[in-house]
Amino acid sequence: METVRFDELELAPQILRGIQEMGFEEATPIQAQAIPVVMSGVDVIGQAQTGTGKTAAFGIPVLHKVDPSSKKTQVLILSPTRELAIQVADELRKLSKYMHGVRVLPVYGGQDISRQIKALKGGVQVIIGTPGRLMDHLRRKTIRPDHVNTIVLDEADEMLNMGFREDIETVLEYLPGEHQTVLFSATMPKPILEITRKYQHDAVNIKVVKKELTVKNIDQYYYDVKRKDKTEVLTRLLEMYNPKLSLVFCNTKRMVDELSSELTTRGYSAEGLHGDMKQAQRDRVMKNFRSGKTDILIATDVAARGIDVDDVEAVFNYDLPQDDEYYVHRIGRTGRAGRTGKAFTFIKGKEVYKLKDIQRYCKTKILAQPIPSSDDVAQIRTEKIMNQIENIIEEEDLRDMIDLIERQVNESDYTAMDIAAAFLKQALGQAEGAGSAEEGDSYDFDNTGAEEGMVRLFINIGKKQRVKPGDILGAIAGESGMPGKLVGAIDMFDKYTFVEVPREYGREVLEGMKNVKIKGKSVNIEPANQK
Ligand code: ADP
Ligand code: MG
């Protein structure tokens, strides 16, 4: 799905101005494909779903062909209903707002024909009409077909459904030999193909059908999360559900970079993907993700276009998508091939209204969920481990292991229950990552006198050693992998320094700084002790 700007389509500046004023930013896929082809003058069969901008897809190139200096009728557009004819006329008027001398008129049944005849008298180059009424005008010669060079059958399937086939053919028979015939429709039933065969020559087929993006097999949840807590909640959900592959969406390239470095720092195998990266780099990231070498891919919507990986078990909307359709595209990456996927969306406060729109758009339910506590995480992990254990008991040969445990039970005071419990604790501890208390030193972060959420660290180096705050900051950022901007207050004294870092990074900073030299001097760093 490549995006095309209207200014890439070689349109006249007056039309571009009209388009701009309508607020269209980029061409829809059917517009991007159809505009150049229709403009080239050949016959076209265009198919795209309702609401994809088919009107402008033929309207723009057709207007481009109109000669404003001639008052003769040059374009006929057939439309199934009065409402649609008026709608198309409105859109073409807006598009041609800056094309001086171009007149656009809808004609339809049910409106007093003499009024229409009066309106036609001044010379109208573009006429949009229901088939019956157009036929009527052609018969009365109140519309003359001699200079018509383009005819458009819009919403052709609708027109046939309404029984206009004969009227359409009658109108087509009125036209002079040389003209371009363009047909647009959401669907292409057989009778349409018969018409195209009869009335078009070497027509070019343009078909844009959206891949059916289903949200059926996807459990969807949302969490009301403060901005600063998003990463923490994300990691808890990752721990809880332990998805094989996860896709995390952010709205900006910067956020992608930030989050991938945050997750990597926390020991996850994550990589970012965005438009600023070189193609080779992107290919490498995708290859790693596809092969499972990285389990978490963090991407922007644009970069994620075309990603087609089957084993994505969870999609996270770290940022709420800016467009309802993006939501479907994003979460459609999971729940493939009959599997069940999960989609988690983070919102903050008022964004819940946008979520309502999304639910209406996708005809789906997104359920509110409380933010999981660390107890919830442990419980889910336990269940998961127990399930695995059950499988092992049922399916594997455990005789040697049972012998070993038996010996342990006989030689010690422990029961088999004690040993099983210890194994479970170990399994859970590992699952909670390197930061668990079983590994390395334990630190007291509760009495450092730091502000809420931070820890205050003591470093035995200060102004006397001609150390500057920047040196401390640099050392911390460089050694621990924690982004330097997360470093809080730095208080320097003659012989020592206090520095605050977010609590969740406390351990990493302490471990990382163990063998660091600042200004050539080995330093000792430990949690400050308020008491
Ligand atoms: P279709 O005929 O395919 O059902 P329409 O031509 O009626 O779709 O367009 C549907 C809506 O999308 C209209 O409100 C139209 O103004 C708008 N639209 C068309 N093209 C664009 C575009 N490139 N960007 C934004 N909105 C567009
Ligand atoms: Mg339409």
Side-chain angles (χ1 to χ4, degrees), residues 173-357:
E173 302 284 353
Y174 263 95
L175 298 190
E178 268 299 295
H179 63 266
Q180 181 184 17
T181 306
V182 174
L183 180 147
F184 273 86
S185 191
T187 60
M188 284 294 159
K190 238 198 185 146
I192 295 192
L193 297 174
E194 284 164 24
I195 291 185
T196 64
R197 237 175 273 134
K198 201 158 154 196
Y199 294 96
Q200 289 188 308
H201 303 284
D202 303 324
V204 175
N205 255 299
I206 298 171
K207 187 170 167 180
V208 178
V209 274
K210 256 192 269 168
K211 223 203 264 173
E212 193 57 44
L213 284 174
T214 159
V215 293
K216 257 185 268 154
N217 295 329
I218 306 171
D219 300 331
Q220 301 163 62
Y221 305 106
Y222 78 87
Y223 299 84
D224 197 335
V225 191
K226 288 200 195 74
R227 216 188 138 74
K228 68 172 178 53
D229 294 335
K230 280 185 184 179
T231 307
E232 178 63 29
V233 175
L234 173 63
T235 56
R236 281 188 192 174
L237 292 170
L238 286 168
E239 294 303 338
M240 229 163 119
Y241 293 101
N242 203 12
K244 198 156 149 200
L245 297 180
S246 310
L247 199 49
V248 183
F249 284 97
C250 300
N251 287 353
T252 63
K253 297 172 211 171
R254 223 187 70 209
M255 199 60 236
V256 167
D257 283 336
E258 248 174 64
L259 184 59
S260 47
S261 84
E262 265 183 86
L263 287 182
T264 317
T265 311
R266 290 178 179 220
Y268 291 92
S269 120
E271 282 193 293
L273 190 74
H274 60 61
D276 281 355
M277 293 162 60
K278 295 214 172 66
Q279 188 58 46
Q281 207 179 353
R282 280 196 284 197
D283 292 345
R284 187 186 50 72
V285 169
M286 276 315 298
K287 200 172 140 219
N288 288 346
F289 187 55
R290 239 179 260 286
S291 68
K293 202 166 151 199
T294 38
D295 352 287
I296 304 166
L297 184 69
I298 304 153
T300 56
D301 291 286
V302 174
R305 280 178 187 177
I307 289 184
D308 206 357
V309 178
D310 269 343
D311 291 337
V312 175
E313 289 183 348
V315 170
F316 295 88
N317 294 308
Y318 192 87
D319 295 320
L320 193 64
Q322 277 152 339
D323 188 299
D324 298 349
E325 200 181 329
Y326 283 170
Y327 180 84
V328 190
H329 279 281
R330 286 180 176 189
I331 75 165
R333 267 31 180 282
T334 182
R336 294 278 177 96
R339 276 176 284 225
T340 306
K342 290 190 165 31
F344 305 97
T345 301
F346 295 168
I347 58 147
K348 177 76 208 87
K350 279 197 304 250
E351 286 183 330
V352 76
Y353 292 106
K354 294 194 204 159
L355 211 59
K356 293 226 167 78
D357 288 342

Side-chain angles (χ1 to χ4, degrees), residues 35-55:
I35 289 172
V37 182
V38 176
M39 221 148 70
S40 78
V42 299
D43 287 355
V44 171
I45 304 171
Q47 184 183 358
Q49 275 136 322
T50 302
T52 51
K54 292 193 289 296
T55 314

